[in-house]
Amino acid sequence: MPTSWWIGFNAMVLFLLALDLGVFNRKAHTVSVKEALGWSAVWISLAIGFGLWIGQAMGRQAMLEFYAGYLVEQALSVDNLFVFILVFGYFRIPQELQHRVLFWGILGALLMRGAMIGAGAVLLARFHWIIYLFGAFLVYTGVKMAFSGDSEIEPEQNPVIRLVRRFIPLTTKFHGEKFFVKEAVEPGGAVRRVATPLFVVLALVETTDVVFAVDSIPAIFGVTRNPFLVYTSNVFAILGLRSMYFVLANIIGKFHLLKYGLSVVLAFVGVKMLLSEIRPIGIGVSLGVVAGVLLGSVLLSLVIKPRESDGAEG
């Protein structure tokens, strides 16, 4: 891909993020469902528009690969939303401060995803056999997801949180949108810089995204090997994650079968990678399977009510 494409795309993303935080969400506030729906529509429209541009610049095949990658990443990011809900609830983060944590968390995720995608592209180019390793890992992950129960998140056991608390002084009080503040060690004593609970949650959000990226990065390489399409579809999915959180936070529990849909998607992409040299699966088929499985799991979740025991656990 021309270097100008990479520079232009990243410049556009930085401009959109600056516009988001610096203009539209400059003041901390509780994001309403209506506002979140509006922003979700904006990010989805931008992704659709970018895909159409890809079709004009690179052809129909590349456009379908971008849309398939975007759909896979958007679906797998739903797992992140479950974790965000649990983390914000555990640390009792006020609703008006959640947007700021998600904004900086997503900015960090963009940088880490970019590095991981670059590393994955280099490995696949030099060691083609890794595609089979990725495929087997995705099949294993899909099966494991389908048969695993709903586990409780324990932020206190997170090694990064332990590291933060060991090396950075913390305060238990919120100080608005600030991640760090200056606080006296004791009344009238020396002043030191301490981290607020907001920073602890941000660290947890960042490390959680790295964990989920271990699944999502191999999955998208199963859809397309083009680093530019992998990166741009990932970025658009992450950009829309914050708005999606505020839309789905109160209703995501209703989609109790979505986990099984995601497991099928992961397993399907893994099988696609394993068969890439024997019987390649076309991108049109891949896009149809992914969209059909996800839509089917959502619709079935609305039709088939969860068992009482499942509801109690939720």
Side-chain angles (χ1 to χ4, degrees), residues 13 16-17 43 106 110 234-243:
V13 171
L16 292 173
L17 289 174
W43 294 121
I106 286 171
L110 291 175
N234 239 280
V235 168
F236 272 113
I238 294 174
L239 287 175
L241 184 61
R242 186 178 68 256
S243 300

Side-chain angles (χ1 to χ4, degrees), residues 216-266:
S216 66
I217 298 301
I220 196 169
F221 272 113
V223 174
T224 176
R225 307 283 181 83
N226 187 310
F228 185 73
L229 298 180
V230 171
Y231 177 69
T232 52
S233 58
N234 239 280
V235 168
F236 272 113
I238 294 174
L239 287 175
L241 184 61
R242 186 178 68 256
S243 300
M244 189 190 302
Y245 166 81
F246 291 107
V247 173
L248 300 180
N250 296 319
I251 63 173
I252 199 169
K254 297 182 183 295
F255 305 136
H256 60 285
L257 297 179
L258 183 58
K259 179 181 74 170
Y260 300 102
L262 294 176
S263 69
V264 172
V265 168
L266 284 175

Side-chain angles (χ1 to χ4, degrees), residues 62-254:
M63 179 184 70
L64 292 177
E65 290 180 4
F66 171 81
Y67 284 140
Y70 173 70
L71 185 59
V72 168
E73 290 300 315
Q74 194 74 274
L76 292 178
S77 67
V78 172
D79 268 359
N80 293 49
L81 301 184
F82 280 108
V83 174
F84 292 163
I85 293 170
L86 293 172
V87 169
F88 287 150
Y90 181 90
F91 287 96
R92 295 182 175 86
I93 303 299
Q95 287 190 347
E96 63 270 17
L97 299 181
Q98 292 177 7
H99 177 276
R100 184 170 179 83
V101 175
L102 290 174
F103 176 88
W104 290 106
I106 286 171
L107 185 61
L110 291 175
L111 297 175
M112 289 187 288
R113 292 287 181 100
M116 294 178 72
I117 289 170
V122 171
L123 287 174
L124 285 174
R126 295 187 178 182
F127 309 102
H128 182 72
W129 56 267
I130 289 181
I131 194 72
Y132 303 111
L133 184 63
F134 280 179
F137 174 73
L138 289 177
V139 172
Y140 166 77
T141 304
V143 173
K144 183 180 178 182
M145 179 184 292
F147 291 98
S148 64
D150 296 328
S151 56
E152 292 290 334
I153 184 173
E154 298 180 355
E156 299 296 338
Q157 302 304 316
N158 186 287
V160 174
I161 298 302
R162 291 181 175 181
L163 194 65
V164 169
R165 289 186 167 173
R166 182 175 181 181
F167 293 100
I168 302 178
L170 300 175
T171 178
T172 58
K173 299 179 181 178
F174 288 99
H175 291 265
E177 298 181 333
K178 296 180 179 179
F179 293 114
F180 292 92
V181 295
K182 292 182 178 179
E183 185 177 82
V185 178
E186 56 184 32
V191 176
R192 63 177 179 176
R193 192 176 183 83
V194 298
T196 68
L198 218 58
F199 176 78
V200 176
V201 174
L202 177 62
L204 187 56
V205 167
E206 295 287 12
T207 55
T208 298
D209 182 76
V210 173
V211 173
F212 283 112
V214 173
D215 292 338
S216 66
I217 298 301
I220 196 169
F221 272 113
V223 174
T224 176
R225 307 283 181 83
N226 187 310
F228 185 73
L229 298 180
V230 171
Y231 177 69
T232 52
S233 58
N234 239 280
V235 168
F236 272 113
I238 294 174
L239 287 175
L241 184 61
R242 186 178 68 256
S243 300
M244 189 190 302
Y245 166 81
F246 291 107
V247 173
L248 300 180
N250 296 319
I251 63 173
I252 199 169
K254 297 182 183 295

Side-chain angles (χ1 to χ4, degrees), residues 17-36:
L17 289 174
L19 197 65
D20 183 356
L21 187 66
V23 179
F24 295 106
N25 294 288
R26 183 169 51 185
K27 295 182 179 179
H29 66 286
T30 300
V31 178
S32 66
V33 174
K34 181 179 179 181
E35 180 183 353

